[in-house]
Amino acid sequence: MAFLVHDARHLERPTRPIGGDERARAGRRLWRVDLLQAAAVASVAIAVALFLAEGGATRFGDPGAALTSLGIIAGLAATDLVLVMLLLAARVPLIERAVGHDAAMAFHGRLGKPVLYLLLAHGVLLLAGYAIADGIDVWAEAVAIWNLPDLPLAILGFALFLAVVVSSLVAVRRKFRYEVWHVIHLLVYVAVLAALPHQFSVGGLFVVGTWQWAYWLVITFGTFAAVIGWRVVAPLVASLRHGLVVERIDPVGDPRDGVVSVTMRGRRLAALRATGGQFFIWRFLSAGQWWQAHPYSLSAAPRGDRLRITVRALGDGSASLGGIRPGTRVALEGPYGIFSEASRSRRRLTLVAAGIGVTPIRSLLESATFRPGEATVVLRTQGPAEGWLLDEVRELCHQRGATLITVPGGRGRGWLTPSAERQGLHLLALAPAVADSDLYVCGPRGWAEGVISEARAAGLAPEQIHHERFDW
Amino acid sequence: MRTRALLLASAASAAAILGGWQLGDAATTSLTVGSTTTTDTSGTGGTSSSQSSDAAAPAGSSASASGAADGTYTGTSVSTRFGNVQVQVTISGGAITDVTALHLTDSDGRSIQISNRAAPMLRSEVLQAQSASVSMIGGATYTSAAYLQSLQAALDQAGF
């Protein structure tokens, strides 16, 4: 069953004086996405091209040389991709605003295994190439290369990289606490630094003054500067500048659910330029909490000097958030995400959330641009009239002229409830205009995938579908 | 990846790689070794024909004792991508009795490894052939070519 809590469909006017705003903006954003992707691929090509420029065909003169060259190319491609991975995780504003945090991190994750294979190929091909050139068997060569300078260090780097990738495989990752996994993940910086010396001492590739040397110098130092700048300096500066403190903590709904809204107060928050639907990475600076960082979406659009999040007891951190008090200082990193106006591509809006996924939907509803009748909100809730922040969402729908539908009950086989499924309800039935709207989906991963596949089937283009993940 | 991104990426990558390949080929059309630091030697390493420089004696290409004076002769320093190569040859009783490498390709760890392997092999080949006309060592093309070129210069000096 689904309940039409507030009906604003009749308010929609057939046309709007200024049309195409969202489409033009989406067009510009997609250009940036495409150019960034092309740049990532081209950077690998440039790395290979600069290698080929030093030697050309002579690099492939005999089998030994050819294998050695291929091995070097694999190593260069792997190094370049590692830097791309670091940049994707560096919270570079250009990337965050165009691609979005989720998509950037998903791409980052997909590169891990290919890089590992390239590094393996690098080792195997060079070993084979050297063995053929030296006219000895692979085992003797394997012993011989230990005498190369910095090679043990490079092998240590590879082992660390292997540990990072393995710890990030979904099956393995679940076994770790977030913080443990994160510490393992930070080893990647050690891995890159350990691998660096052999690129200069063994390969002799980066002869001072050559184009190749200049290129690697720029991308390596550029990447490390980006990581330090945007992951360390910028958050520190923002935290000090805005001096955020917890102002009040209010329980939401049934106290047994452990859902609370945390309102924080700070200075000059407008400078953050945060909007509804975005998230920050928060660190509550109290005794047992400071070492945990939590990504939480704003549950209300920033207003004046206040930011608000709404949090359910998920994971260790959220459960003990109840322990924080008014006055607790808060460090923040962000705003991140394009689950916001930044990714709009149509004038209509469809917002779909399940459970606590309502939080960014609630703040997005507040700050999104739409005219009465152009927005539909579908919420999976506990009861027809009870759900987290449901009162606030209902109030906003009244004010702004958005249609609100609740689908109460447990989850069925799809993304709806069993009773709604029996009635044959689906996305298109709940939000008839969905095909020509921006769809924002927030909730557990499997559930969200259900909504998204239905949206695809209904004919939505990828740039119309916006998804925020809550699990890490 | 969207089609447009794919096209952009392919075009940029193809341009970069083809450009790099062209540059590499252009730079190495006159392969083997780079310039020599002194004047008198001629062709690339490995050829045995030596032009008479100041020494009077006609240079034979192989064994028989020519008018070469006993002594130690130092070849030119030949520069390669992987470092300079210079050898010294000892002539005694009209025969090459020893070749010493004064400097070998050493720009990086791998080059040093290759030099250390190739030098003894080249030395014994030269002692056996009694000339710089010996085959290059596989996997050590640059080192061999430069080694033999420097050796040839030293032999020319000796009038060998």
Side-chain angles (χ1 to χ4, degrees):
Chain A
M1 278 207 283
F3 294 81
L4 189 57
V5 179
H6 179 69
D7 190 357
R9 287 173 295 190
H10 61 284
L11 296 173
E12 184 169 2
R13 295 286 170 267
T15 51
R16 192 163 81 164
I18 310 152
D21 254 19
E22 288 84 2
R23 278 175 196 265
R25 191 156 35 147
R28 284 195 296 276
R29 184 177 73 81
L30 291 173
W31 259 111
R32 284 197 291 275
V33 173
D34 290 348
L35 285 172
L36 283 169
Q37 286 185 335
V41 175
S43 75
V44 177
I46 290 170
V48 175
L50 287 170
F51 168 76
L52 292 176
E54 298 263 326
T58 61
R59 295 277 200 181
F60 298 89
D62 58 86
L67 282 179
T68 303
S69 295
L70 287 176
I72 292 173
I73 287 173
L76 290 174
T79 311
D80 193 280
L81 286 175
V82 167
L83 295 179
V84 168
M85 289 175 80
L86 293 185
L87 271 180
L88 283 169
R91 322 272 195 262
V92 181
L94 179 67
I95 298 173
E96 294 287 319
R97 283 190 208 128
V99 182
H101 186 78
D102 273 26
M105 293 317 286
F107 190 34
H108 167 96
R110 277 206 300 277
L111 284 176
K113 273 199 257 180
V115 167
L116 197 64
Y117 299 146
L118 278 171
L119 288 173
L120 270 175
H122 171 65
V124 170
L125 286 170
L126 279 178
L127 195 60
Y130 284 6
I132 291 174
D134 293 351
I136 54 178
D137 66 80
V138 174
W139 305 114
E141 188 61 54
V143 175
I145 59 169
W146 276 94
N147 296 322
L148 287 174
D150 304 320
L151 207 76
L153 209 54
I155 291 171
L156 171 74
F158 175 76
L160 291 176
F161 193 81
L162 182 68
V164 170
V165 173
V166 168
S167 73
S168 298
L169 299 175
V170 177
V172 182
R173 186 167 164 168
R174 280 204 207 98
K175 294 190 170 64
F176 291 109
R177 290 171 58 102
Y178 173 81
E179 285 75 21
V180 175
W181 170 83
H182 192 235
V183 167
I184 297 175
H185 222 70
L186 290 178
L187 288 177
V188 88
Y189 297 108
V190 182
V192 171
L193 291 176
L196 209 55
H198 92 282
Q199 299 175 17
F200 291 87
S201 59
V202 179
L205 282 175
F206 310 142
V207 181
V208 178
T210 60
W211 280 104
Q212 201 173 14
W213 170 80
Y215 176 75
W216 285 98
L217 207 65
V218 167
I219 65 167
T220 308
F221 281 91
T223 302
F224 273 84
V227 169
I228 291 168
W230 280 302
R231 291 212 66 172
V232 182
V233 177
L236 268 178
V237 168
S239 297
L240 291 172
R241 179 175 181 210
H242 300 296
L244 212 60
V245 290
V246 174
E247 188 178 53
R248 48 185 296 165
I249 299 162
D250 306 295
V252 175
D254 189 333
R256 280 171 303 180
D257 293 335
V259 176
V260 291
S261 276
V262 181
T263 307
M264 290 160 277
R265 197 185 64 243
R267 297 184 296 267
R268 294 189 292 264
L269 295 184
L272 287 168
R273 292 197 293 168
T275 69
Q278 288 193 298
F279 70 96
F280 286 85
I281 294 176
W282 313 88
R283 224 176 252 281
F284 296 96
L285 303 178
S286 65
Q289 278 285 330
W290 62 269
W291 53 279
Q292 291 183 346
H294 315 279
Y296 290 134
S297 295
L298 295 173
S299 63
R303 199 175 299 119
D305 282 341
R306 283 174 179 77
L307 297 175
R308 194 190 76 173
I309 56 174
T310 302
V311 178
R312 190 179 58 160
L314 265 177
D316 318 312
S318 320
S320 57
L321 270 195
I324 61 165
R325 320 225 169 295
T328 301
R329 293 171 57 81
V330 186
L332 85 171
E333 204 188 308
Y336 297 136
I338 52 169
F339 194 79
S340 65
E341 279 289 279
S343 59
R344 283 289 288 279
S345 69
R346 299 289 188 277
R347 66 186 172 88
R348 288 201 192 85
L349 262 183
T350 308
L351 311 176
V352 185
I356 198 67
V358 70
T359 53
I361 295 290
R362 149 78 179 76
S363 60
L364 180 58
L365 185 64
E366 199 176 351
S367 54
T369 309
F370 63 89
R371 303 201 316 164
E374 288 178 347
T376 307
V377 182
V378 179
L379 297 180
R380 276 270 323 280
T381 54
Q382 298 102 312
E386 51 176 318
W388 295 309
L389 302 178
L390 186 59
D391 294 343
E392 293 182 16
V393 173
R394 186 193 293 129
E395 178 61 31
L396 275 170
C397 286
H398 271 290
Q399 278 175 22
R400 302 214 50 195
T403 301
L404 174 62
I405 297 165
T406 58
V407 187
R411 190 177 150 197
R413 278 179 300 131
W415 62 279
L416 288 166
T417 59
S419 69
E421 278 163 8
R422 273 197 301 279
Q423 291 174 331
L425 280 178
H426 50 88
L427 188 60
L428 211 52
L430 293 168
V434 69
D436 186 36
S437 76
D438 275 309
L439 174 68
Y440 289 79
V441 184
C442 188
R445 187 190 297 203
W447 172 87
E449 276 163 8
V451 183
I452 289 168
S453 64
E454 239 186 83
R456 287 265 164 86
L460 273 79
E463 72 264 22
Q464 287 174 262
I465 301 172
H466 316 284
H467 172 218
E468 187 82 17
R469 272 175 46 194
F470 259 35
D471 45 0
W472 54 276
Chain B
M1 250 176 142
R2 289 148 42 84
T3 320
R4 189 172 60 195
L6 213 58
L7 286 175
L8 284 170
S10 318
S13 305
I17 298 216
L18 285 175
W21 184 268
Q22 284 297 318
L23 275 176
D25 263 2
T28 53
T29 36
S30 57
L31 169 69
T32 44
V33 285
S35 60
T36 56
T37 48
T38 54
T39 47
D40 60 349
T41 56
S42 58
T44 54
T47 55
S48 64
S49 64
S50 59
Q51 289 134 348
S52 58
S53 43
D54 46 335
S61 64
S62 61
S64 72
S66 52
D70 286 3
T72 307
Y73 302 87
T74 303
T76 51
S77 176
V78 179
S79 66
T80 78
R81 278 186 37 220
F82 301 103
N84 294 335
V85 175
Q86 190 170 29
V87 299
Q88 195 174 52
V89 65
T90 306
I91 301 206
S92 169
I96 299 173
T97 55
D98 194 18
V99 185
T100 318
L102 299 179
H103 200 269
L104 287 168
T105 42
D106 63 348
S107 70
D108 56 78
R110 176 64 186 160
S111 294
I112 293 169
Q113 212 178 38
I114 289 173
S115 298
N116 289 342
R117 178 175 59 84
M121 294 165 81
L122 285 164
R123 179 178 174 275
S124 65
E125 277 193 50
V126 167
L127 290 182
Q128 201 177 356
Q130 286 295 309
S131 84
S133 176
V134 299
S135 60
M136 311 239 264
I137 305 298
T141 320
Y142 285 84
T143 307
S144 307
Y147 185 100
L148 297 174
Q149 188 180 341
S150 180
L151 173 68
Q152 188 60 54
L155 293 178
D156 288 347
Q157 260 181 59
F160 188 79

